[in-house]
Amino acid sequence: MDHLQGKQELERTKIVAILRGIKENHIHGVVDALRRGGITVLEITMNTPGALSMIANLQSTFADQLYIGAGTVLDTNDAKEALAAGAKFIVTPNTDEEAIRH
């Protein structure tokens, strides 16, 4: 899902599912249940073990159906890694101006 579609989905559903601490072997089942329930925007927090591989895997499986981003992005390195893994947006709990600019 591209940025325009993602924005439209966020405006339509007004929900972002925040996935934190989910084990990698459970991610597809959780995400499939969310998708079937109408949730199309989700964020994988970077402090979840395996976050980057989950983002990449979900993008390869659900890219046309879901708007997938990364949360708890603390610095520029996190932002770069998340975007390289395929995150379409980032959420940061702080004000690291360099990460925001990136």
Side-chain angles (χ1 to χ4, degrees):
M1 194 174 286
D2 66 26
H3 295 294
L4 178 59
Q5 292 168 313
K7 182 180 176 195
Q8 291 170 340
E9 282 301 300
L10 186 55
E11 289 172 354
R12 182 182 70 77
T13 64
K14 301 191 181 356
I15 296 173
V16 176
I18 299 172
L19 306 178
R20 179 185 314 275
I22 294 177
K23 293 183 179 182
E24 201 162 351
N25 62 326
H26 295 148
I27 193 69
H28 273 275
V30 170
V31 169
D32 192 49
L34 289 168
R35 185 184 56 78
R36 284 184 283 119
I39 307 299
T40 55
V41 181
L42 57 92
E43 153 193 338
I44 308 281
T45 63
M46 291 291 284
N47 58 356
T48 296
L52 295 172
S53 63
M54 284 190 266
I55 291 167
N57 189 291
L58 292 172
Q59 280 294 9
S60 70
T61 306
F62 297 108
D64 60 336
Q65 301 166 50
L66 300 173
Y67 193 49
I68 302 163
T72 316
V73 174
L74 301 177
D75 54 32
T76 305
N77 187 58
D78 282 352
K80 287 178 182 178
E81 289 180 340
L83 294 171
K88 296 297 183 179
F89 64 91
I90 63 167
V91 177
T92 180
N94 59 12
T95 309
D96 182 323
E97 292 181 19
E98 196 174 313
I100 293 168
R101 270 193 292 283
H102 181 76

